[in-house]
Amino acid sequence: MDAVDVAVRLLAVLLSFLVLPLLVGQTEHKVMAHMQGRVGPMHAGGFHGWAQLVADGVKFAQKEDIVPEGADRRVFQLAPALALIPYLLVLVAIPVAPGGGVVQVLDAGIFFVLAVMGVGILGSLMGGWASANKFSLLGGLRTAAQLLAYELPMLLAAASVTMAAGTLSLPGILGVWEWWWLPWQAVGAVVFFTAGLAELQRPPFDAPVADSEIIFGAYTEYTGLRFALFLLAEYAGIVVLSALTAVLFLGGWHGPFADGLGWLWMLLKTGVLAFGVIWLRVSYPRLREDQIQRLAWTALVPLALFQIALTGVVKVVM
Amino acid sequence: MPDYFHGYTVVGLVAVVGVLFVCAAFAAGRLLRPVVPTPEKMLTYECGVDPVGEGWAHTQVRYYVYAFLYVVFAVDSVFLFPWSTVFAAPGYGATTLAEMFVFLGFLAVGLLYAYKKGVLEWT
């Protein structure tokens, strides 16, 4: 790889990192609105409020940046950066098209992806601790509890796919993927997606930011640009989770005419999953903190173990 | 193993791009935003009412047993990944499958034990 090639790839990663989350955000505005019998933003930019998020961004950039007097200043200021950067790193390993349609093939791809995604949670923890706010602290602790509970089923479900494929590399997994993996890995897919939702603290797993109980959890004291970065991290997280689920369980770029249109299939599957994330937000009430823990330990972990047993038996017997 | 780390040059570069992006955003924000601090503004917001007492209130960490469980299980599960790449290789089949069920059995018994002890109940 020469320098120009690397530069193009870096640029592609950065651009998709900045554009896709905004698309998901705007879709969320509109989809939520229509599901709730409203129209959503209509004015910014003229056509159906397409520029609403751009306007929001301009507003965020102009707002005064307030760090509370009592806060742990450095940690408080660094937290949004730590929440955001891991999701950028994850995009490196996600294949979007067959035959080199990935920024970098990593041998231990899935391992790398899961490890780096876990780091992002640290941002919320740091924010919650450093805010010098009782509600933020509670939110941070809930975030920690949620990470502990849902990282395990996520790991196990991902391990099931690597067992089926016999490789940890994400392009490698897609290379051996067959359509009948869909029913074979279906349980794992549900576990992985649910656990991912919980790690992103999206509804119905949004107890860490529950506005009617603890204001806005770890992000209560944030304003302006730093708050915007936290929001960007949340939507980037949706993109990354949807893309990963698509790659691991839905065959990524596989589909008719995959050689030419592989990227479109990948984008489509990611989009449909992201739509599902939004849909879940609109249709389910928030789970209580203890219900969240119980779901992980008594439902998702046993299901993931079952999936591993199933994968092992089918793989060896076939 | 020179090949193994080869791919991580690009990962490192993307990390640099990420740091630069955040730095640029913070620098631009610094140039664009007003700075008019007042004592009231710098107070912790909390829930909109002036805060009472210290920011770091005492709270009971109810899930520390989950944390133990998590550490035990996650360390076990990480070993699944290298194992998963070879377990179905020719000549392994039945043996590794039996091993897998022993491993899953240990995890399941552990989980069942925790359940019986009432650890999975929110106290």
Side-chain angles (χ1 to χ4, degrees), chain A residues 195-302:
Chain A
L197 267 187
E199 286 210 357
L200 294 177
Q201 303 165 25
R202 290 285 301 178
F205 304 103
D206 61 338
V209 294
D211 52 345
S212 48
E213 303 168 33
I214 51 174
I215 323 305
F216 204 50
Y219 318 127
T220 307
E221 298 295 334
Y222 282 91
T223 176
L225 197 63
R226 288 177 213 281
F227 183 70
L229 290 190
F230 267 127
L231 276 187
L232 182 59
E234 179 179 340
Y235 289 97
I238 297 178
V239 172
V240 164
L241 171 70
S242 305
L244 266 184
T245 311
V247 167
L248 292 179
F249 297 98
L250 301 183
W253 44 257
H254 280 280
F257 312 108
D259 283 334
L261 294 176
W263 59 273
L264 191 63
W265 285 112
M266 178 63 190
L267 214 57
L268 203 66
K269 289 171 184 175
T270 309
V272 168
L273 285 170
F275 177 80
V277 172
I278 298 166
W279 194 356
L280 286 171
R281 171 173 179 181
V282 181
S283 41
Y284 278 99
R286 179 183 304 132
L287 288 178
R288 225 171 42 219
E289 193 54 25
D290 62 322
Q291 292 169 331
I292 287 179
Q293 293 288 329
R294 200 168 58 215
L295 177 69
W297 290 102
T298 60
L300 291 190
V301 172

Side-chain angles (χ1 to χ4, degrees), chain A residues 3 13 102 114 178 194 223 315:
Chain A
V13 168
V102 54
L114 290 173
E178 311 250 8
T194 316
T223 176
K315 174 88 175 174

Side-chain angles (χ1 to χ4, degrees), chain A residues 305-306 308-310, chain B residues 80 99-109:
Chain A
L305 291 178
F306 164 77
I308 286 182
L310 180 70
Chain B
L80 276 174
E99 279 175 5
M100 181 195 75
F101 275 106
V102 172
F103 176 76
L104 289 184
F106 272 117
L107 285 189
V109 168

Side-chain angles (χ1 to χ4, degrees), chain A residues 105-127:
Chain A
V105 180
L106 296 176
D107 281 342
I110 195 166
F111 209 75
F112 168 82
V113 162
L114 290 173
V116 172
M117 270 178 85
V119 174
I121 313 284
L122 272 182
S124 305
L125 284 180
M126 283 165 66

